Amino acid sequence: MTTMTPDNVQKAIDKLEAIDPKDEFAYEKAFMAYKIIKQLPVLIYNFNSDIEVFRARTHLEDIFYSTKSEIALAPHSAIRNFARCNRPFQSKFYCGENRPTSYIELVNYWTEERNEGEKLYVTIGRWKIKRNFSALIITSPDPEKRISKYDREHGPVLDDFLNKYDGDFREANVMLYRYLFERFRKLAYEDPLTYLITSAYCNSALFEIPFEVDAVYYPSVPFNGQGVNFAFNNRFITEDNITLLGAMRDEFLAYTIEGNKKGFRQIGEIVANSIDSKNGTIKW
């Protein structure tokens, strides 16, 4: 069997970097570029149950969502853009470890939707993961680049994996993880190629492994890696696996800051009174 080599990793990287995001087959080219590597590495971390996560839904209307389904997993048909771990028409349950992390990834996009003096609303669900789950992780093979808590914690996991090998196979893995680390830590706003590359890696990795992995686990880029996110697979989001514990709605006001840039100031917060566990009704 052909093994992973530095040469085919470099060929894959060159092809990925040469992709024009406007090409109608851009995603297919990214997906096929990973095929050149032959043995795409997948680093898995197992989590215990009872983890709490936060998921945000932005809305421009001054409304209150009344059912769990309105702030849960979006249907595939509603997903029109690439994101860190998904292609269009592929719904993922994105969530953060805390409330601000859950929506910090969205702030750049808010600037396109609101002008100075206009309001914006974010409804945030607090969810509990009820069973153990597995997640794909991406970290750096270079200890000096492990600045965030995420990378300091998971870097040794990668070290253990790499230390099992030597020669060209080890070098090839180091090359690929070094490249993936840089792309997963890069702001993708106004850089559509990054999302093409990261989502194609996630789908290639999750598609090819012979067992089911539940999520992708990665640090928040706008938070400089100090917050972490999960992107749970669509099939994981069921009543048996996850439950809504609470909901809140934040209200923001757009304003202009230095350099004619736009900022958002929180001016209101309302916490839901209760969540009906049987029918998912949210009462405010």
Side-chain angles (χ1 to χ4, degrees):
M1 182 178 68
T2 304
T3 60
M4 180 181 180
T5 67
D7 182 60
N8 57 30
V9 169
Q10 189 59 56
K11 286 180 179 178
I13 291 173
D14 291 344
K15 284 187 175 294
L16 288 166
E17 291 299 311
I19 292 172
D20 178 358
K22 296 179 182 179
D23 189 316
E24 67 173 311
F25 295 115
Y27 181 76
E28 287 78 6
K29 288 181 178 180
F31 197 88
M32 293 306 296
Y34 286 111
K35 295 287 188 184
I36 297 171
I37 294 172
K38 304 296 183 183
Q39 292 174 278
L40 197 63
V42 180
L43 201 60
I44 305 299
Y45 191 82
N46 294 312
F47 290 83
N48 295 324
S49 59
D50 295 336
I51 289 177
E52 291 188 11
V53 295
F54 295 78
R55 175 174 169 83
R57 177 173 180 181
T58 302
H59 46 107
L60 306 181
E61 304 83 10
D62 184 4
I63 59 175
F64 291 88
Y65 293 117
S66 59
T67 62
K68 179 174 66 176
S69 61
E70 292 176 290
I71 61 172
L73 186 71
H76 289 306
S77 59
I79 309 303
R80 301 302 175 90
N81 298 306
F82 286 96
R84 190 70 61 177
C85 306
N86 72 275
R87 56 166 172 72
F89 303 105
Q90 181 184 35
S91 181
K92 298 277 188 178
F93 188 87
Y94 284 96
C95 50
E97 66 173 344
N98 53 45
R99 181 172 156 197
T101 302
S102 69
Y103 57 69
I104 194 67
E105 306 273 347
L106 305 172
V107 172
N108 281 329
Y109 299 96
W110 293 355
T111 64
E112 300 174 354
E113 298 175 325
R114 297 283 84 176
N115 296 315
E116 183 176 9
E118 293 183 328
K119 294 180 180 180
L120 176 143
Y121 307 89
V122 183
T123 299
I124 303 159
R126 180 168 65 92
W127 302 80
K128 179 180 178 180
I129 310 299
K130 297 193 289 184
R131 74 162 174 85
N132 297 350
F133 65 94
S134 59
L136 176 70
I137 60 174
I138 298 95
T139 188
S140 175
D142 304 308
E144 67 274 12
K145 293 188 177 180
R146 297 171 187 167
I147 298 172
S148 70
K149 179 181 176 182
Y150 173 99
D151 291 309
R152 291 194 301 270
E153 179 179 352
H154 298 295
V157 179
L158 178 57
D159 291 341
D160 289 342
F161 169 75
L162 293 174
N163 288 338
K164 296 176 183 177
Y165 308 103
D166 56 18
D168 282 355
F169 188 73
R170 186 183 193 282
E171 182 184 348
N173 275 278
V174 169
M175 287 175 61
L176 182 60
Y177 273 107
R178 189 173 286 149
Y179 176 71
L180 291 172
F181 174 80
E182 294 299 329
R183 275 297 183 177
F184 269 85
R185 301 312 186 277
K186 187 174 183 179
L187 281 170
Y189 182 67
E190 298 182 345
D191 177 25
L193 183 59
T194 285
Y195 278 169
L196 276 167
I197 289 170
T198 59
S199 64
Y201 169 74
C202 291
N203 281 327
S204 296
L206 297 177
F207 178 75
E208 291 185 1
I209 55 178
F211 54 89
E212 188 171 301
V213 176
D214 303 306
V216 180
Y217 180 51
Y218 61 99
S220 171
V221 175
F223 259 1
N224 296 317
Q226 298 311 308
V228 293
N229 294 310
F230 293 95
F232 282 97
N233 295 335
N234 191 285
R235 62 180 177 269
F236 183 85
I237 306 304
T238 68
E239 294 291 338
D240 291 334
N241 295 341
I242 185 169
T243 189
L244 181 63
L245 298 177
M248 61 201 79
R249 197 195 74 160
D250 290 342
E251 181 178 355
F252 291 90
L253 181 69
Y255 67 100
T256 301
I257 57 179
E258 187 178 353
N260 204 32
K261 295 182 179 180
K262 202 173 297 178
F264 292 86
R265 181 183 298 111
Q266 184 177 346
I267 59 173
E269 172 188 299
I270 298 175
V271 178
N273 290 321
S274 64
I275 308 291
D276 191 311
S277 60
K278 291 183 178 180
N279 59 25
T281 300
I282 304 172
K283 294 183 179 179
W284 299 92

